[in-house]
Amino acid sequence: MPSQADVNDIGITILENDFDQVSLEWSFPEMVTQSFQEEAESRGGKVIDLSEIPEIKSRRGAWFQTGYSLNLGLSEHKISDETQKVLVKVMVDKQLDVILLLRPDNYNSGLSYNKKPPTGAFGLYKRVEIFASNPVHTFVQIEGRVIAGNPPTVIEDINGSNLSRKTPADKSLKVTSTDFQAAITRQTGSAVDEILGGLGL
């Protein structure tokens, strides 16, 4: 998860579009991890953060590889033999039932098909509209990849993205404000709830 907030300003023409990243005094990755821990524990589960385990950290580029299956031409997610060995060891050592990989996602179902979705894991999204109020949204876009079984296999990808439209009074909302942090905290909780719900928890 990135630590900087994304600010997406979409104008009438492409020349008016502006994308910015803003550093914050608080940590979005920590917010996500804490939210997962709290929500999983409230459901009777336990969360262990694997991100700093050397074997996991050194293979970051391998976790979201996609391959293709000859079965009906459907795409499938493949875990290489080497990555599988790492996961087997970690799951046994830590006594894990499920490994959940998190990544930022650029999809958001809260926008209609003809509107460009916000980019990044979290931030502000503003879009100029002719003959309409120019909406301001806060957004969180997180996807979880679920790995389980023996041998470990990708079960599914669960999207927890959400978009929240602000009132006209919030048009001047800044990512550095406490209002923005409060909104992102709530939306992170919603994203986590959606992903855990997709796991059947």
Side-chain angles (χ1 to χ4, degrees), residues 124 126 136-137 165-174 179:
L124 274 177
K126 306 174 186 179
V136 177
H137 299 82
R165 183 165 179 158
K166 302 294 131 188
T167 67
D170 292 323
K171 281 185 182 174
S172 60
L173 188 65
K174 305 285 185 190
D179 288 343

Side-chain angles (χ1 to χ4, degrees), residues 77 79 84 87 91 99 146-156:
H77 308 295
I79 300 175
Q84 225 168 39
L87 293 181
M91 292 183 85
I99 289 181
V146 184
I147 293 177
N150 188 10
T153 316
V154 175
I155 306 301
E156 62 180 319

Side-chain angles (χ1 to χ4, degrees), residues 158-184:
I158 303 173
N159 188 284
S161 300
N162 58 80
L163 188 76
S164 178
R165 183 165 179 158
K166 302 294 131 188
T167 67
D170 292 323
K171 281 185 182 174
S172 60
L173 188 65
K174 305 285 185 190
V175 295
T176 50
S177 71
T178 54
D179 288 343
F180 174 77
Q181 183 177 356
I184 295 301

Side-chain angles (χ1 to χ4, degrees), residues 25-119:
E25 293 182 358
W26 46 274
S27 169
F28 179 68
E30 284 181 17
M31 180 186 290
V32 172
T33 301
Q34 183 179 347
S35 187
F36 267 102
Q37 287 174 334
E38 290 173 355
E39 289 296 323
E41 287 169 6
S42 74
R43 292 162 160 85
K46 184 178 179 182
V47 170
I48 298 173
D49 184 358
L50 305 178
S51 59
E52 293 305 315
I53 294 176
E55 303 95 308
I56 297 284
K57 196 171 183 178
S58 66
R59 299 186 59 75
R60 290 199 174 178
W63 302 121
F64 292 98
Q65 290 173 342
T66 301
Y68 293 94
S69 167
L70 295 177
N71 180 23
L72 302 177
L74 301 175
S75 65
E76 66 176 3
H77 308 295
K78 291 191 174 182
I79 300 175
S80 70
D81 292 343
E82 190 177 344
T83 301
Q84 225 168 39
K85 287 176 187 173
V86 171
L87 293 181
V88 168
K89 182 178 185 305
V90 170
M91 292 183 85
V92 170
D93 289 350
K94 302 291 184 181
Q95 299 181 348
L96 302 176
D97 296 313
V98 172
I99 289 181
L100 185 63
L101 302 167
L102 300 174
R103 65 176 170 183
D105 193 32
N106 288 334
Y107 166 80
N108 204 307
S109 58
L111 288 176
S112 60
Y113 75 95
N114 63 336
K115 294 186 178 180
K116 183 178 175 64
T119 59

